[in-house]
């Protein structure tokens, strides 16, 4: 699984033209209660939820990596360039998001974690506040 994850990450890095930063990007797989992934902009580490990772397709993993890597490229806010590049890579962005959220809901229900909170599009990636424009 680790090799597959690294291959997907490396391909996504190339597609986003982040090759100069490639050597510095690390992946850590760990359990999260309420989110699928996050990135530390300081140490260039992507954290991905180990509990739902086995349920995700390669395309969904790539989408998550692209989302996190775009934060590395554009910062913590979802500015227009961020959203446009994500949409360019994933014209079916909404469908992918819906599928990921469904899997998170299913995982949440299977493990009786409903009391911990409900997964929504706004909190699954811990999205920051809109760009203070």
């Amino acid at each position: 699984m680790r090799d597959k994850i690294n291959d997907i990450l490396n391909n996504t890095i190339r597609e986003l033209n982040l090759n100069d930063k490639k050597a510095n990007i690390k992946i850590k797989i760990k359990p999260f209660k309420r989110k699928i992934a996050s990135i530390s902009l300081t140490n260039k580490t992507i954290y991905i939820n180990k509990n739902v990772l086995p349920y995700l397709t390669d395309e969904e993993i790539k989408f998550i990596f692209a989302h996190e890597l775009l934060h590395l490229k554009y910062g913590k806010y979802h500015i227009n360039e961020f959203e446009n590049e994500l949409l360019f890579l994933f014209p079916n962005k909404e469908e992918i998001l819906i599928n990921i959220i469904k899997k998170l809901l299913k995982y949440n229900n299977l493990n009786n974690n409903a009391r911990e909170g409900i997964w929504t599009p706004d909190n699954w990636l811990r999205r920051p506040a809109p760009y203070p424009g």
Side-chain angles (χ1 to χ4, degrees):
M1 177 70 128
R2 176 65 80 167
D3 289 338
K4 180 175 99 167
I5 298 282
N6 284 324
D7 287 344
I8 294 169
L9 177 64
N10 291 333
N11 290 335
T12 308
I13 288 169
R14 275 192 297 279
E15 285 186 52
L16 293 172
N17 295 318
L18 292 171
N19 291 328
D20 57 323
K21 301 176 184 182
K22 176 180 176 182
N24 297 329
I25 298 170
K26 300 176 282 290
I27 302 172
K28 292 202 177 176
I29 301 169
K30 64 182 223 170
F32 286 116
K33 288 184 180 180
R34 297 184 184 262
K35 58 184 172 178
I36 186 69
S38 65
I39 188 167
S40 168
L41 299 178
T42 306
N43 64 21
K44 297 179 183 169
T45 301
I46 294 175
Y47 300 92
I48 189 159
N49 188 331
K50 81 175 210 169
N51 297 321
V52 294
L53 187 58
Y55 302 108
L56 300 173
T57 66
D58 289 359
E59 182 182 41
E60 291 163 347
I61 294 168
K62 179 181 175 183
F63 176 85
I64 291 165
F65 283 157
H67 178 272
E68 298 305 334
L69 290 168
L70 286 170
H71 281 299
L72 187 62
K73 190 172 184 177
Y74 293 110
K76 67 180 182 176
Y77 297 109
H78 291 197
I79 61 174
N80 286 339
E81 292 88 341
F82 178 108
E83 292 294 340
N84 290 340
E85 193 161 354
L86 193 59
L87 192 57
F88 178 78
L89 285 173
F90 301 94
N92 58 337
K93 173 186 159 190
E94 297 302 321
E95 179 184 332
I96 295 170
L97 264 174
I98 289 168
N99 288 336
I100 292 171
I101 292 166
K102 283 180 180 177
K103 289 176 182 181
L104 290 170
L105 283 167
K106 184 175 182 179
Y107 174 80
N108 195 31
N109 290 334
L110 286 174
N111 290 286
N112 281 332
N113 289 333
R115 66 186 173 280
E116 302 242 352
I118 296 173
W119 298 98
T120 68
D122 291 330
N123 69 12
W124 76 278
L125 280 172
R126 278 235 159 154
R127 292 182 177 174
Y131 184 70

